[in-house]
Amino acid sequence: MVRPAMSFSARRSALMKSLDRPLLLFSGGFISRNYPANSYPFRADSTFLYLFESPEPNSAALLDPAEGTVTLFLPERTIDDALWHGAQPSFADERARHGVSAVLPIEELEKQLEGRSIDSLAIADRRTNARMRALTNTPLDFDDPNQVATRPAVLDAIAKLRLIKDADEIAQMRRTAAVTKEAHESAMRASVAGVKEEFLAGLVEGAFARHGCVPAYGTILSVRGEVLHNHAHTHTLHNGDIVLLDAGAENASGYCSDVTRSWPVGDGFTPEGRDVYDIVLKAQEASIAMVRPGVRYREVHRKSSLVIAEGLVAMGLMRGAPEALVESGAHALFFPHGVGHQLGLDVHDLEAFGDRIHYPNGRTRSTQFGTQYLRMDMDLVEGMTFTIEPGIYFVPAILHSPKFREQFKGQVDFERAENFLTLNSGRGFGGIRIEDDVMCTGIGAEVLTALIPKKRDAVEALAGAA
Ligand SMILES: [Mn+2]
């Protein structure tokens, strides 16, 4: 049973119940690209988006738990703004639309808060943070999880709500999943030898735009899938290549998808591609099958690691028992990242809040290569949404590392692995990742992105089908 939809005011009331002093939040302003008037599109801070529908740039909100009031601070309406950006609703209209106690000009914020002890939360907009630092007299820093809030209790209170999605949030994520399906399928269909990656990336982002969405993060579309966050789209596709697409749509409310598919160029996967694809898919499905309330996410990661180790042993790339290979960390030479992360308003939902949220109860990150990148180790709870995204890659820097060659010499067949770097007329194997967005239900997992093709014969049939 998904948490029933909460109105924005119900979310604010719920948050105030966990606060012991007033909390000041900012939506954030425009961030300049190259000169002050040329800015990136406005994107409000995620916590602000969670609490207010369609927030305005440069607005702030004061939630006062003692008074039970919410005051919204908005920029004064000027003729200049109306001329360049269109008329804005009046403060009275905005008060009614948001159902808040009062709306005041943000120009008066400092005066209104004089002498009051308040909490606040750093956001991505540095200029706004400077104002918050002055208002709260604390060294707020968005880039440092230890200083992202005036007090850690603020992070706990917000995370408690945002981590468990309600019915409306799930519905939004289902809609972005449908848009993401269209985007992935159009790129698959157009994948034939001679096409450039940038053309495919354009199809992906065009599909997002056609539905009022933007890329939720820099689209990764590459035949060099072994470069995990490869944002360049400069290669031309050749038969035998594997295209890795990691792209998700974000809608106007800020909710997003995060999906990876990998498919062949030409007449289906090569024999090596087939073997690796089947292992990655088996690992992903085995991890998804583990999901239910109370399961520790580290175990979901471990499950993928074990299936990958077992598969690589069968392929002759590793030697030994899967448990021993995962214990030593040898599997991470091929699966060098975590199996997933929270998902919602932020693609890595609440990542700015740090490991305080994602490694609770005194848990700490592994120090082992690969597993150290696991972005969370929480006990799963009904209503959480997160990704599951194992992968196998052939990374020259890893396979050539003298340190790893020594450390794992009995466990990894480096000579055989080396062959994968020169397969495909010397271009190398690349990598395969399969990623879906998953909701933990009362009894198991629901895959929100299940309609995006991923069975091997389905992606082979769709690739290049035009
Ligand atoms: Mn992801």
Side-chain angles (χ1 to χ4, degrees), residues 183-184 186-192 195-207 219 221-223 233 235 237 243 245 263 265:
H184 277 251
S186 61
M188 282 185 203
R189 287 179 180 283
S191 289
V192 291
V195 163
K196 271 187 96 168
E197 291 169 350
E198 62 194 16
F199 178 81
L200 301 177
L203 292 177
V204 169
E205 297 185 0
T219 295
L221 188 154
S222 185
V223 294
H233 303 135
H235 298 106
L237 274 55
V243 179
L245 170 62
W263 61 84
V265 182

Side-chain angles (χ1 to χ4, degrees), residues 122-322:
I123 59 173
D125 169 17
R126 267 96 182 138
R127 250 188 312 177
T128 299
N129 283 334
R131 192 172 184 184
M132 269 194 275
R133 277 195 292 272
L135 278 164
T136 58
N137 205 23
T138 44
L140 285 166
D141 182 356
F142 185 67
D143 296 303
D144 179 355
N146 295 312
Q147 299 195 318
V148 74
T150 43
R151 290 185 300 158
V154 171
L155 303 180
D156 297 344
I158 295 169
K160 196 173 83 178
L161 278 167
R162 281 183 52 192
L163 281 171
I164 311 299
K165 272 59 180 179
D166 69 31
D168 182 62
E169 296 180 282
I170 297 295
Q172 308 239 26
M173 291 169 73
R174 287 188 202 285
R175 288 197 288 274
T176 62
V179 176
T180 301
K181 174 180 190 284
E182 182 178 321
H184 277 251
E185 287 182 351
S186 61
M188 282 185 203
R189 287 179 180 283
S191 289
V192 291
V195 163
K196 271 187 96 168
E197 291 169 350
E198 62 194 16
F199 178 81
L200 301 177
L203 292 177
V204 169
E205 297 185 0
F208 295 164
R210 282 199 295 280
H211 295 282
C213 291
V214 296
Y217 50 94
T219 295
I220 297 163
L221 188 154
S222 185
V223 294
R224 298 262 61 90
E226 78 280 14
V227 180
L228 297 184
H229 285 175
N230 191 344
H231 295 300
H233 303 135
T234 52
H235 298 106
T236 298
L237 274 55
H238 292 85
N239 284 331
D241 284 347
I242 294 166
V243 179
L244 185 153
L245 170 62
D246 183 343
E250 176 179 313
N251 72 5
S253 306
Y255 287 90
C256 63
S257 299
D258 180 359
V259 174
T260 307
R261 292 291 185 266
S262 307
W263 61 84
V265 182
D267 198 18
F269 283 108
T270 61
E272 294 84 1
R274 204 176 302 148
D275 288 348
V276 173
Y277 193 91
D278 290 350
I279 297 168
V280 175
L281 183 56
K282 187 176 172 196
Q284 200 230 14
E285 288 178 334
S287 282
I288 291 172
M290 282 187 69
V291 170
R292 64 181 178 281
V295 168
R296 190 171 169 178
Y297 193 72
R298 191 180 68 176
E299 295 304 316
V300 176
H301 174 83
R302 187 177 145 78
K303 174 60 86 176
S304 269
S305 305
L306 285 169
V307 173
I308 285 172
E310 184 186 64
L312 293 173
V313 168
M315 284 182 71
L317 288 159
M318 301 190 86
R319 284 189 290 266

